[in-house]
Amino acid sequence: GDFLSRLTDQFQDLSPNEQKLCAFLRLNLNTKDVSNLMGISLRGVEVARYRLRKKLELEKGQNLSKFILEY
Protein backbone atom coordinates (compact mmCIF):
# COMPACT_ATOMS: atom_id res chain seq x y z
CA GLY A 1 0.00 0.00 0.00
CA ASP A 2 2.55 2.61 0.97
CA PHE A 3 5.32 1.43 -1.38
CA LEU A 4 5.35 4.54 -3.58
CA SER A 5 5.10 6.94 -0.66
CA ARG A 6 8.06 5.25 1.10
CA LEU A 7 10.01 5.28 -2.15
CA THR A 8 9.39 8.97 -2.83
CA ASP A 9 10.18 9.85 0.80
CA GLN A 10 13.62 8.28 0.50
CA PHE A 11 14.29 9.23 -3.15
CA GLN A 12 12.68 12.65 -3.74
CA ASP A 13 14.21 13.19 -7.20
CA LEU A 14 12.32 10.33 -8.91
CA SER A 15 10.26 11.47 -11.89
CA PRO A 16 6.65 10.29 -12.34
CA ASN A 17 7.78 7.89 -15.09
CA GLU A 18 10.46 6.46 -12.81
CA GLN A 19 7.86 5.99 -10.07
CA LYS A 20 5.65 4.21 -12.61
CA LEU A 21 8.56 1.97 -13.62
CA CYS A 22 9.15 1.11 -9.96
CA ALA A 23 5.48 0.19 -9.59
CA PHE A 24 5.65 -2.08 -12.64
CA LEU A 25 8.82 -3.71 -11.32
CA ARG A 26 7.07 -4.18 -7.98
CA LEU A 27 4.34 -6.06 -9.88
CA ASN A 28 7.17 -8.27 -11.22
CA LEU A 29 6.41 -7.47 -14.87
CA ASN A 30 8.97 -8.30 -17.53
CA THR A 31 10.58 -5.75 -19.85
CA LYS A 32 8.23 -6.50 -22.74
CA ASP A 33 5.13 -5.94 -20.61
CA VAL A 34 6.55 -2.72 -19.17
CA SER A 35 7.35 -1.41 -22.66
CA ASN A 36 3.78 -2.08 -23.81
CA LEU A 37 2.26 -0.40 -20.73
CA MET A 38 4.54 2.65 -20.89
CA GLY A 39 4.39 2.96 -24.68
CA ILE A 40 8.16 2.88 -25.17
CA SER A 41 10.57 0.50 -26.87
CA LEU A 42 12.33 -2.38 -25.16
CA ARG A 43 15.56 -0.41 -25.40
CA GLY A 44 13.79 2.56 -23.77
CA VAL A 45 12.85 0.38 -20.80
CA GLU A 46 16.44 -0.85 -20.51
CA VAL A 47 17.72 2.75 -20.50
CA ALA A 48 15.07 3.75 -17.94
CA ARG A 49 16.09 0.82 -15.71
CA TYR A 50 19.75 1.85 -16.00
CA ARG A 51 18.97 5.46 -15.04
CA LEU A 52 16.74 4.31 -12.18
CA ARG A 53 19.53 2.06 -10.91
CA LYS A 54 21.85 5.09 -10.85
CA LYS A 55 19.30 7.28 -9.03
CA LEU A 56 18.73 4.60 -6.42
CA GLU A 57 22.53 4.34 -6.04
CA LEU A 58 22.60 0.56 -6.38
CA GLU A 59 25.90 -1.30 -6.42
CA LYS A 60 27.21 -2.74 -9.68
CA GLY A 61 26.05 -6.32 -9.05
CA GLN A 62 22.85 -5.47 -7.18
CA ASN A 63 19.63 -6.53 -8.92
CA LEU A 64 17.14 -3.68 -9.47
CA SER A 65 14.04 -5.91 -9.52
CA LYS A 66 15.12 -7.70 -6.35
CA PHE A 67 15.77 -4.36 -4.62
CA ILE A 68 12.30 -3.06 -5.58
CA LEU A 69 10.55 -6.28 -4.53
CA GLU A 70 12.27 -6.26 -1.12
CA TYR A 71 11.81 -2.49 -0.55
Side-chain angles (χ1 to χ4, degrees), residues 2-15 18-23 26 52 56 67-68 71:
D2 65 340
F3 166 72
L4 281 178
S5 61
R6 286 187 295 125
L7 192 69
T8 53
D9 285 345
Q10 187 171 354
F11 306 101
Q12 289 94 15
D13 59 338
L14 291 180
S15 71
E18 289 167 335
Q19 293 174 17
K20 191 185 304 185
L21 177 59
C22 287
R26 179 78 174 197
L52 181 60
L56 298 178
F67 174 80
I68 293 294
Y71 189 82

Side-chain angles (χ1 to χ4, degrees), residues 17-31:
N17 277 339
E18 289 167 335
Q19 293 174 17
K20 191 185 304 185
L21 177 59
C22 287
F24 290 146
L25 292 175
R26 179 78 174 197
L27 293 172
N28 209 16
L29 298 178
N30 63 28
T31 303

Side-chain angles (χ1 to χ4, degrees), residues 12-67:
Q12 289 94 15
D13 59 338
L14 291 180
S15 71
N17 277 339
E18 289 167 335
Q19 293 174 17
K20 191 185 304 185
L21 177 59
C22 287
F24 290 146
L25 292 175
R26 179 78 174 197
L27 293 172
N28 209 16
L29 298 178
N30 63 28
T31 303
K32 186 176 180 181
D33 293 336
V34 172
S35 73
N36 288 333
L37 290 170
M38 292 183 77
I40 58 177
S41 68
L42 292 173
R43 180 70 180 142
V45 175
E46 292 169 1
V47 170
R49 288 173 58 103
Y50 171 77
R51 291 180 180 152
L52 181 60
R53 193 175 288 113
K54 286 183 78 169
K55 275 196 177 178
L56 298 178
E57 299 174 357
L58 299 182
E59 299 294 325
K60 182 78 172 169
Q62 199 170 0
N63 187 310
L64 175 63
S65 296
K66 187 177 178 183
F67 174 80

